[in-house]
Amino acid sequence: MSTHVDLAEFRSAFVAECDEQLALASSKLLLVEEAQKRGERQPRAVRDLFRALHTIKGLASMVDVGPIVTISHKMESVLRDADRSGGALPAASIETLLEGVRAIEQRVRSLDRGASVPPPPPALLSALDAFDAEANVREAAPRYLELEAALRDKLAPFERDHLVRCGEIGKRVLRMEFAPSPEKAEAGFSINGVRERLGAIADIVKVLPRAVPPTPGAATGLVFVLLLVTTASDDELVAAGGVSRETIASLVTGPSREATPASPNALGAAEAVDAEALALHDEPALADAPRGSMLRVDVARVDDAMDRLAALLVTRSRLGTALSKMNARGVDTRELGQIVQDNARQLRELRAAILQVRMVPVAEILDRLPLIVRSARRDAGKSVRLELESAGAELDKSVAERLFPALVHIVRNAVDHGIETPEERARAGKPEEATIVIACRERANTRVELSVRDDGRGIDREALARRSRRDTPTEDAALLDLLCEPGFSTRDQASTTSGRGLGMDIVRRIVVDQLGGELDVRSELGVGTTFTMKIPLTIAIIDAFTLECSGQRFAVPVSMVEEIIEIDPARIIAPPASVRGGRAPLGMIERRGETMALLDLAGVLGLERREGATKAVVVRRAGEPLAFVLDRVIGQQEAVVRPLVDPLVQVQGVPGATDLGDGRLTLVLDLVALAAPRARSAKLLGDGASPSVATLPAKGAA
């Protein structure tokens, strides 16, 4: 009887697992490459890489994706030989193996889209076969450790080679024996505690149990042999392990030295206790720590839960509206009001729980950048080191996925435009290897701040002005506006990484228009450039102020509003006649010694202005305050933002709409974006006190 496997049933799980293993493979390949530059090996990384490819091959075989099986099998063969030789992976094979990872990824993406999976590239298979053949004819010189055969045979090839190589480069390669006893346990020396203390001063390559004849005072007839690589002294090891000096010995290597045979009875007993001892002692984290579990859930299911939560929020708003109407009619609603408050609190907790499920570590997207930097620096012929600092920050998965292309554009621009060649850096007195630092940190509980900093040549503002035929941007504000101009590029011809005039324009659209974040730049000629992005953790549900202007209701994200103030008409400084008009600033107003432009929200929106408005909402653009005059502030509540995706209805400063519970469509306003066209007019009002354009607007921030 034949069984037909429905691939669609397993596709999402297969793709998710392959993505995880491919990310691991890429990171380990880069780790091996960096170690090779230092003249070192990374046997553990090669072993992890081998396991990742083996896992991918097994998964692809289960769902019958032949091309992926073929590619991963060829790569696995090369890595198996490298693993057996202690991580000796040919330097020239790194590029071929990375091409293999990319080839597998392309076929996984095809499968994910439901398209046909292309066959393996013949050139790639030939290159992998060549490395495999080279490894087969290479003969490794026999090497030995002074270790009993029964224990030596329990070492993996890469572990044996690691011990040998560490001895060759002058590190101490030692064997320590720890025999558990009640007295040692009372003194705090258990095998788990010894491993923890020794791990701080030594590399514990292996812990091997060995049976010995029982002695008086011993807990069992069991001794643990710890194989160490360290630079610590014997005194430090004795103090950490709670053992005597006699239990520490060197593992001397030699070209043909045989290990001392052990007692047959002892070896037989060792085999008998080995499995149990390893389970109890060689992996203490499994024995002592509580077991956790991981549940992999399709994002679509979480999105569905978020949509249902959104419907509950709208229902709660309707309930609040109905309750207000009952209060207006004099109905006693105290008990019902308490229930509504409890329900609101429960919904806030449910919202936080669902959002937490959607959160992914920022490191998850940052870890994909080293491979991009490697490709860019190779194409540009530059030496660049990437440093990542994520500090455990998290983002909504949908936000993280949208943000990644913006990071890619900034990083590629840094390598292609910002970083000098090694020769130029040497002439400028800089290290030949440049550095790009990507740092992420949380701001309050609603935003994260991402910065991309390079130590390159900086931005030549005068050269930029000549190319754009504009005035030299003296402020970072104007510099950013120029860099983000659609179609603007500092290159005459497009390269593989840049020169099409799309990079920074795309960054602005993603960070500002799509995510509702802020973007700014700081650059110093000869020192370097820093781009900073402030991103909302999520863009689905926001806390919003509801406002009324010219008889219409609007919503504004709470995170965007700095303050709500009362306006005294007598204190408004009127604008010059040359800049008066329905959409121009009403004038300037002073607040606690700070002067800011006063904008009429009705005029900005093209609505009929009502006289006597005394309320204003203060926001900041480029660090400068702006105040929007409106009729009144209705209140604050949670709002589910539905983005405006139809190009025919998209308007700058109106990122989406929401239902506040009464069935009426309420537009969500981005006041900072609405202020952008009027910043130039506001400049005419005062001595630089009006808003500049140092930071692009936050749009729909949450």
Side-chain angles (χ1 to χ4, degrees), residues 194-240:
V194 168
R195 284 183 57 149
E196 183 178 349
R197 285 188 288 271
L198 284 176
I201 60 175
D203 174 18
I204 304 177
V205 177
K206 196 78 170 181
V207 178
L208 299 168
R210 183 169 67 89
V212 296
T215 58
T220 63
L222 183 67
V223 168
F224 292 96
V225 179
L226 296 95
L227 307 184
L228 313 172
V229 175
T230 185
T231 57
S233 65
D234 284 354
D235 290 339
E236 292 174 297
L237 295 173
V238 167

Side-chain angles (χ1 to χ4, degrees), residues 3-21:
T3 303
H4 174 68
V5 178
D6 183 8
L7 181 59
E9 181 180 351
F10 302 100
R11 180 179 298 157
S12 61
F14 170 76
V15 170
E17 184 66 26
C18 281
D19 285 344
E20 183 176 327
Q21 297 299 329

Side-chain angles (χ1 to χ4, degrees), residues 239-426:
V243 297
S244 62
R245 288 177 178 272
E246 290 73 21
T247 62
I248 302 174
S250 296
L251 289 174
V252 181
T253 63
S256 60
R257 188 173 299 183
E258 296 295 336
T260 304
S263 164
N265 292 335
L267 293 179
E271 293 292 340
V273 302
D274 185 55
E276 181 181 0
L278 284 177
L280 293 177
H281 300 287
D282 200 33
E283 296 294 343
L286 297 179
D288 300 337
R291 293 182 179 270
S293 60
M294 181 70 69
L295 178 63
R296 190 174 268 138
V297 180
D298 194 295
V299 176
R301 296 188 179 186
V302 183
D303 290 340
D304 181 63
M306 183 66 78
D307 289 339
R308 295 179 186 275
L309 172 62
L312 286 174
L313 292 176
V314 173
T315 301
R316 189 204 60 196
S317 297
R318 293 174 58 192
L319 184 60
T321 301
L323 188 65
S324 299
K325 292 180 179 178
M326 293 173 66
N327 284 330
R329 293 198 300 268
V331 179
D332 184 1
T333 59
R334 284 175 294 181
E335 184 176 356
L336 182 59
Q338 184 60 48
I339 294 174
V340 170
Q341 290 180 9
D342 291 342
N343 176 252
R345 176 181 51 79
Q346 293 163 355
L347 284 177
R348 284 195 299 271
E349 293 172 352
L350 178 60
R351 168 193 170 186
I354 294 179
L355 289 178
Q356 194 62 38
V357 172
R358 291 172 58 98
M359 292 295 178
V360 296
V362 175
E364 186 174 294
I365 61 172
L366 296 186
D367 288 344
R368 294 154 64 184
L369 292 172
L371 200 59
I372 293 171
V373 170
R374 180 186 183 275
S375 176
R377 74 188 180 200
R378 181 193 59 196
D379 294 339
K382 298 175 181 178
S383 179
V384 184
R385 182 179 74 255
L386 179 65
E387 297 180 2
L388 303 176
E389 303 171 3
S390 62
E394 293 184 325
L395 274 176
D396 187 307
K397 183 173 178 62
S398 63
V399 174
E401 289 176 348
R402 295 189 195 183
L403 178 63
F404 182 69
L407 283 172
V408 170
H409 281 292
I410 294 178
V411 168
R412 282 179 172 168
N413 279 347
V415 175
D416 205 34
H417 297 290
I419 301 299
E420 312 95 328
T421 63
E423 296 77 17
E424 290 175 322
R425 294 181 63 84

Side-chain angles (χ1 to χ4, degrees), residues 636-671:
Q636 177 182 343
Q637 66 183 86
E638 290 176 303
V640 181
V641 179
R642 303 296 183 188
L644 302 179
V645 296
D646 188 344
L648 297 178
V649 297
Q650 286 181 337
V651 179
Q652 181 183 7
V654 186
T658 185
D659 180 357
L660 297 178
D662 56 2
R664 292 168 50 195
L665 186 67
T666 301
L667 295 179
V668 178
L669 301 182
D670 179 351
L671 296 181

